[in-house]
Every structure is written in C-alpha cells, then in structure tokens.
Amino acid sequence: MQINTNSKIQKIQRLYQRRGILRLLSFIYQIATSRLKNKIAYQKWIKKNTFTQQDITSANQQIKGWQLHPKFSIIMPVYNVEAKWLEKAIESVRNQIYTNWELCIADDASTYPHIRSILTNYSKHEPRIKFIFRTENGHISAASNSALEVATGEYIVLLDHDDELSIDALFENAKLINQHPEVDFIYSDEDKIDGNGSRFSPCFKPDWSPEYFYSCMYTCHLGVYRTSIIREIGGFRSEYDGSQDYDLVLRVIEKTKNIYHIPKILYHWRSISVSAASGSQAKPWAYTAGRKALESMLERSQYPGRVEETINPGIYRVRRDIIGNPLVSIIIPSAGTTIETPSGSLCLLENCIRSIQQVSTYRNFEIIVVDGYDIPKEILERINASNLELVRCAEPFNFSMRINKGAAKAKGEFLLLLNDDTEVITPDWLESMLELAQQIEIGAVGAKLLFPDGRIQHTGVLILEGNPCHAFYGFDNEFSGYYCSNIVNRNYLAVTAACLMMRKEIFHQLQGLDEQFPLNYNDVDLCLRAYQAGYRNVVTPYAQLIHYESASRQKGLRPGEWYQLNNKWKNYFESLEIDPYYNQNLSLKTANFELF
C-alpha cells in the first residue's frame, strides 16, 4: 500500500491547478503535521503496549487452561538473505511464548554460503526446525510449497526470511483459535522495522473488509491459515510470484467465511532496500502479479469484470460487469429551495436534476421528486422531463417518510436516495454504485461527497462510542486517507442517505427508513439494520458529487435525536464493542484514524 513519487507530484499539480497556492500549502502542512504527530504518537503507543514479564506469566497461565493447543507450521522460504536478518527471523520464532510450533524452512538454492551453515547449525540445537535445500531456484512460491510439504501443523503461518514475529504472535493466534475453533484465516496488525530495530509505520487494520481487500492486499502480515484449506486450493502458484500471498488469500476466501482479525501488532516487516516494505520501487513486478491475481479471481466470480490499476502501485480498482440494464429509481425529497452562491442564485433541485441528466453516462433511470406542495410552479415547469414523476406529501417535512413514499412509487430494481442539494460530477457515478449494489451480499452503497471548495463531506460513517462520525470530514479531496482508504472502495458500517443506493428488495425487506428519525440518523439506522441482517455496506470514491450540505434545511440535530439512536441500538453497539471497520488502537476522539 505504497504511494509512489509520481502520484505525489501529480497530486500536488492537481491541487495547485484547482485550489491555488494557499490551499496547496495548507494541504502540505496538514499532511506533514499529521505524519509527524502520528510518528511521535506511535513511539508512545509502543511503550504503552510492550509485552512485559508480567504479561508473559499471565499468558503461560492462560495456555495451561486451554482446551486446544493447535500446532503452527511456520513457512519460511529463504534465498540469499543476509545472515543477521535470517538469524533475527529465526530467533523471533524461537522466542515465542506459545511453544507448539515447527519452523519449516525451504532454501531456494541460495548461492550465499552462510545460509546452509546457519540452518544446519540451528537444526542441531532446535528439533522444531525443519529445513529443505532445494537444488534449483524456483522462486518464492515454489520454495513456499516445498516448505508446505513438510508441514504437520493444523495451521500455517507465513514469515519472510528477513522479518520478525512479535513475542506473543503465536500466543494471540492460539488464544483466538480457542475462542473460535472454526476459524480458517486470521490476520493481525503490523508495523515496519528498520536495520537498527526501530519500529515505525504501524498499520492498524479493519476487521474483514472484502471491498477494501479487492483494492489492496491489506491483510498482509501476519497471515495464519488452516493447513487443510491451503492444501485443498493447491498451495502457492508461481505465476503470481511477487503477489503470491494475495493470490493465495483470494482463493482462501472463496472457501470460507470464518475470517478473524487480531487488532494487535504481531509482525514486524523489515524495511531494507531489497524489501517491499521499503517502497514501491523495490519489487515493481509484484504489482503486475497483484493485478493478475485479481483478474484470475474475476474469472472465478459470479460477478466478472476487469481490473484497473491506479497511479498508486498496489492499489487497484475492480470493475464488475453490470448485469443487464436495470432501472434505477432516483428519489429526491425537495422543497425547491434556492440559495445564493458566488456565481449567483441556484435552485438546488433544478441544479441536481440538470447534473443527473447532463452528466450521467448510465441512462436507464427515473427521477421521483417528493415534495410538500411547496416547489414553485415555474421550477416544476423547468424540471419537467419524460422520466420524472412528482409525488406529493402533505405531512410536515419528514425525510424518512418522503423517501418511503417515493420508494412506494419506484419502478426500478434499484433505489437511489438523493438529496436535492447535490450535484453529480463523475459521469459514471451510477455505474460505479450499481456494480456494487447488484452483489447479493452488499446492502447500502454510498458515494464520496464534497463541499463546493473540494473538501470531504462524506467518505463513510464510523460509529465511535455510539456517535456516528464522518471519516476525514473537512479534509481535502486529494487526501488519500489512512492507507489509501479514501481512494478505494471500502466497507463502512454506514453511509449517508444524501446519496445512497440499495436494491429495492432489501429496502423493503428492511421496511424502509424508520420514520421515527424524521431528519437525522435515518440513514445510519437503515445501514445498521442492513449490517445486522448480514449485508455489508460500501463507500465508493469513484462516484463523486458536490454536496451543498444542509443548504435546504437547518443544520444540526434536533433535541433527543442522538439519544433516540443510542436507545434503539445500545445493546447492539455494546455487542460490537468497536466499529468493525475501524480499529480499537485508534483514537475514539476523532474519525481521522489517528492514534491519540
């Protein structure tokens, strides 16, 4: 998940052209300040979360009380690695608190003479180390498969020859297996480690997020997999060398839904010149292999399509073919409000509909405007179109009620809830949302909404201690987000109904919007019900609209709205403990994915 130099330069050029020098300088300052703040914060985090002798004693007591003591086979392909890194990698295994492991090392015909002597020496003193000396160099997948052949554990663990496991890595995985014996795939958080042993760049990951995974191999390290599944799918495939782990997991997740995330840093990825951790230039072929792995996945999928590479190496866009030519019913509650802008008066509804009609490349849609008999006649005459229907609602303004009334009139297979204070700016916005919403496991699909000046209004809703928060609210659109989360499809608990697509059958299954939420949180409530029903919600940054937020109604919450949401969902929030698409190590004070 690296961002290369060229993409950074292009980003700076776009910012300068669109926003001018002041906004460019503000953006650079914001990013630099954030990075420095997080760098300092992570060193504090390390001190606070270092495994102590007391923790080790407690862990050993827990191990004695476990019913299950799974055996881990650690797979380590080796090729011409410096002696000191190889020894550190092996020692990180030998130092594990949990002791039921075997280290399966396959040397891939290394030409460095110290490799054989180091491995031979370790095998004399450590019976849990197995090694194979391959006679031909077959590269990483072939070597990994050689190591896999001698593995006897119930689970395999992947370790690169120059990286390190944290002392509690296997303990935490064995602990989770005791809690969830059905687990087939476990991944943890990770960081990087330099040649001096200094740790940096932590990656605190969400729980299983399929759309994010199809955009980048975010699960990465530490990966733990049920051995029988790895053997069932045929192990590693050499044609995907460089992204062989990505290809492996893409096939694993087709076999199981028993996927768990440990929100602890259990793996230290060595950042040296020959390692992928050092940057995107270290192994450029890996990104071509990653694309091939995704293309292979699409060939097996019930939703075929194509893969597009982005300007960020290792970041992809999976485009699913839209099935048929389904009708999309766009439902817009409106009062025909006019606002003043720097360019003059603007009728929000008229501007919204004009942008839909003129910008959209997908043409099979109908527009349903729901009003309270208050849209001026001249505006109705101007927006009149053959695919537009007007639904009247005499009751006092209730967003949920008006959406439900519009949905009752909808002829489309898909509903698109849309505020009248939005303006479409990406031509394929409907296609970008449809290709996700058509998938049977997906509930609500949200878009990326921007303020008129280019700052982010919505790119996903996180729920932190019962408080719905917009991720990266107010950041510049050019900000890529935490590990590129703002520029790829990504799962969130909720999305805003200012632009929300959902299959009509799901909307009716969930009984529409709850009219007890007349203004706010009706979208959060809908998305939570979808998630609770087993659907996952997604935000796509490829559908972008300008949002003149709250221009058509008063800003802020009405008394009691937040308490109403929390009263309804209190038990569910407590059962979740933390938003599954966030991370418990990150700050609950803001939704900016910061440590403190």
Side-chain angles (χ1 to χ4, degrees), residues 334-341 344-354 375-376 378-380 382-383 420-422 548:
S334 181
T337 304
T338 297
I339 64 171
E340 293 300 322
T341 72
S345 297
L346 180 72
C347 173
L348 293 170
L349 177 61
E350 190 175 0
N351 182 64
C352 177
I353 292 177
R354 184 191 305 116
I375 300 178
E378 62 273 17
I379 293 176
L380 286 175
R382 288 203 300 267
I383 65 173
D420 67 350
D421 57 355
T422 58
Y548 302 89

Side-chain angles (χ1 to χ4, degrees), residues 24 30 80 93 103 105 138 140 192 196 221 236 273 281 300 356 398 469 508 521 533 549 581 595:
L24 172 59
Q30 184 183 54
N80 282 354
V93 177
L103 177 56
I105 300 175
I140 191 166
K192 295 177 183 175
N196 297 318
H221 309 300
F236 299 87
S273 60
Q281 304 307 312
R300 302 188 299 269
I356 296 170
N398 179 315
C469 309
H508 290 318
Y521 299 141
E549 188 189 25
Y581 301 114
L595 271 177

Side-chain angles (χ1 to χ4, degrees), residues 378-477:
E378 62 273 17
I379 293 176
L380 286 175
E381 291 174 353
R382 288 203 300 267
I383 65 173
N384 186 36
S386 59
N387 61 347
L388 188 148
E389 181 175 352
L390 181 65
V391 175
R392 300 288 195 176
C393 180
E395 290 85 348
F397 185 82
N398 179 315
F399 182 87
S400 299
M401 179 186 293
R402 294 196 179 188
I403 288 292
N404 290 340
K405 284 185 177 292
K409 295 288 186 179
K411 302 181 184 70
E413 181 184 343
F414 293 84
L415 305 180
L416 178 62
L417 319 187
L418 190 66
N419 277 19
D420 67 350
D421 57 355
T422 58
E423 177 183 333
V424 178
I425 56 177
T426 49
D428 66 344
W429 68 299
L430 289 174
E431 294 96 325
S432 297
M433 300 180 82
L434 265 175
E435 64 186 61
L436 293 164
Q438 69 180 351
Q439 298 177 46
I440 58 173
E441 293 181 337
I442 291 178
V445 178
K448 189 174 191 178
L449 305 183
L450 307 172
F451 290 113
D453 64 359
R455 291 178 300 116
I456 294 170
Q457 187 271 330
H458 171 268
T459 187
V461 177
L462 295 165
I463 298 179
L464 307 181
E465 296 185 317
N467 185 33
C469 309
H470 283 212
F472 299 108
Y473 185 89
F475 279 65
D476 195 282
N477 186 30

Side-chain angles (χ1 to χ4, degrees), residues 69-90:
H69 293 84
K71 184 177 182 180
F72 295 103
S73 296
I74 301 160
I75 304 299
M76 183 194 288
V78 171
Y79 180 72
N80 282 354
V81 61
E82 286 189 52
K84 58 183 176 181
W85 307 137
L86 178 58
E87 289 171 349
K88 283 183 177 294
I90 294 173

Side-chain angles (χ1 to χ4, degrees), residues 152-302:
T152 60
E154 297 100 303
Y155 291 88
I156 69 163
V157 180
L158 305 186
L159 174 63
D160 289 345
H161 62 194
D162 51 4
D163 297 341
E164 297 181 32
L165 300 180
S166 69
I167 192 172
D168 57 329
L170 299 184
F171 163 74
E172 293 292 349
N173 278 275
K175 180 179 178 180
L176 188 143
I177 292 168
N178 271 271
Q179 295 166 342
H180 302 282
E182 75 282 4
V183 63
D184 294 316
F185 167 32
I186 310 168
Y187 64 95
S188 74
D189 298 341
E190 63 186 283
D191 65 9
K192 295 177 183 175
I193 188 169
D194 65 18
N196 297 318
S198 298
R199 292 165 54 191
F200 62 102
S201 294
C203 183
F204 293 110
K205 306 168 188 177
D207 287 349
W208 179 234
S209 176
E211 275 59 53
Y212 190 30
F213 186 74
Y214 292 137
S215 301
C216 57
M217 203 316 192
Y218 84 87
T219 60
C220 207
H221 309 300
L222 176 66
V224 177
Y225 312 89
R226 190 178 292 276
T227 307
S228 59
I229 291 182
I230 299 303
R231 290 201 165 112
E232 179 186 350
I233 65 175
F236 299 87
R237 302 198 293 185
S238 293
E239 58 266 43
Y240 302 99
D241 275 353
S243 285
Q244 71 287 337
D245 294 1
Y246 200 10
D247 171 65
L248 185 85
V249 181
L250 285 167
R251 289 179 288 133
V252 166
I253 62 177
E254 294 170 359
K255 297 293 184 180
T256 182
K257 301 296 183 185
N258 298 324
I259 303 169
Y260 287 83
H261 165 227
I262 299 175
K264 295 186 178 184
I265 289 182
L266 304 181
Y267 195 99
H268 310 305
W269 193 3
R270 183 78 61 188
S271 182
I272 52 179
S273 60
V274 296
S275 168
S278 65
S280 60
Q281 304 307 312
K283 298 180 180 179
W285 65 87
Y287 306 117
T288 300
R291 176 174 181 162
K292 285 176 57 182
L294 286 167
E295 289 171 341
S296 177
M297 176 275 295
L298 286 172
E299 291 174 1
R300 302 188 299 269
S301 173
Q302 67 180 108

